[in-house]
Amino acid sequence: MGPTSSESGTGQPLRGTQVLVTRSPERSTGLVAALEAAGATALVLPLIDFERAADQHALEVACDGLGAGAFEWLVVSSATTVHVLVAQAVDRGLSLGAWLPAATLVAAIGPATRRMLKANGVTVTLVPAREQSAAGLLEVWPGGTGPVLLPQADIAASRLADGLAASGSNVTAVTAYRTVDFPAAPERRLAIAAEPGTPQPRLVSAATAAAGMSAGTIHAVVAASPSAVRRLAVLFPLQACRLIAIGTSTADQAAELGWPAAAVATDPTPAGLVEALTGSIGPGHEPGLAAAPP
């Protein structure tokens, strides 16, 4: 059953709700903490992991150009890209903030990306005004800019690179990392340490998750990327559980696969996902039921 009105009034609107989180343990800590603060029980089933780019030479060449001031703009579209850039700076004996030329302007998509850049001493000049996505950044992008470096995932859609180029920018798109099924090969994995003191999340297997969805004891699953949705669709029956999407691109992928999102976070943060889930599981709702198609 869903949370009662009295439980919602305690500040834990998701009390009694079990939520499946599909990120790796070290990348799920913020969302797990936010869910549990709202009263939910968070179960972690890692689906997606990240490896170093196969073509390290191309990445090194692009980063050499970045450090030398060859690019007017650096566009960073994910927090994972920040980890790659930090590693590139460390390889050169510098912090990210010290490595990037002062004249290089930085655009970022997503609050997590912005926070991580700021934490590493980087000033972000441009962010989307509305939707935190490629489309949102293109809405505010100044046309006719000079050389742009766009490091991104190997499976990144071409929309951002194409849109930047269409605006008159000279875009160098380079693969910064590979998206793979969890777990990544240990020798190629992009290891990201969890914050000190972070509790170990409750890990579950795909079989346990499937059983929980079937029994209605897992009330929702959170997908934080289109690639996670694709893995979910392979592992579980369509609409096996209420799906909460981190943004429109994730929701669009889910709809294409026949598993429409019950809610889409307006803010792609742990708090935004909790808000979306809370709005989906409210009075009169049965959390264990699959979301009805729109």
Side-chain angles (χ1 to χ4, degrees):
M1 293 292 291
T4 66
S5 58
S6 61
E7 288 167 338
S8 298
T10 66
Q12 291 194 319
L14 297 179
R15 187 173 178 83
T17 301
Q18 284 203 113
V19 182
L20 188 67
V21 175
T22 57
R23 309 186 90 173
S24 61
E26 65 270 35
R27 290 176 171 85
S28 64
T29 53
L31 178 55
V32 168
L35 286 167
E36 295 192 342
T41 298
L43 307 174
V44 176
L45 172 63
L47 295 181
I48 301 301
D49 212 347
F50 304 102
E51 293 180 351
R52 293 189 298 276
D55 189 350
Q56 285 292 299
H57 177 69
L59 178 62
E60 291 284 345
V61 169
C63 287
D64 284 343
L66 178 64
F71 296 98
E72 181 179 346
W73 282 90
L74 168 65
V75 176
V76 186
S77 58
S78 73
T80 304
T81 299
V82 182
H83 287 288
V84 173
L85 293 171
V86 168
Q88 289 289 325
V90 169
D91 287 347
R92 292 162 172 80
L94 297 167
S95 67
L96 181 57
W99 174 47
L100 291 181
T104 301
L105 302 173
V106 178
I109 297 175
T113 306
R114 296 197 302 270
R115 284 195 303 270
M116 192 171 297
L117 286 167
K118 182 179 179 181
N120 283 279
V122 177
T123 298
V124 175
T125 304
L126 185 68
V127 298
R130 297 186 296 172
E131 181 182 331
Q132 296 298 313
S133 66
L137 184 62
L138 291 172
E139 285 181 355
V140 298
W141 184 256
T145 59
V148 177
L149 178 61
L150 176 62
Q152 55 187 352
D154 61 323
I155 61 171
S158 64
R159 180 173 188 176
L160 182 53
D162 292 346
L164 294 172
S167 75
S169 299
N170 179 14
V171 182
T172 298
V174 63
T175 298
Y177 59 91
R178 295 182 64 237
T179 304
V180 298
D181 293 345
F182 187 91
E187 68 276 12
R188 296 192 297 272
R189 188 169 190 258
L190 285 179
I192 299 174
E195 295 180 5
T198 301
Q200 180 68 24
R202 299 177 180 88
L203 297 179
V204 296
S205 66
T208 298
M213 290 181 185
S214 178
T217 56
I218 292 179
H219 307 122
V221 56
V222 174
S225 68
S227 53
V229 170
R230 290 192 289 271
R231 284 288 293 147
L232 283 167
V234 169
L235 291 171
F236 304 113
L238 296 183
Q239 298 188 43
C241 187
R242 177 179 274 102
L243 180 69
I244 309 300
I246 197 170
T248 55
S249 61
T250 301
D252 289 347
Q253 178 68 91
E256 288 178 14
L257 294 173
W259 194 347
V264 182
T266 56
D267 185 22
T269 62
L273 285 163
V274 169
E275 182 180 7
L277 177 57
T278 301
S280 176
I281 300 177
H285 289 276
E286 292 291 337
L289 296 178

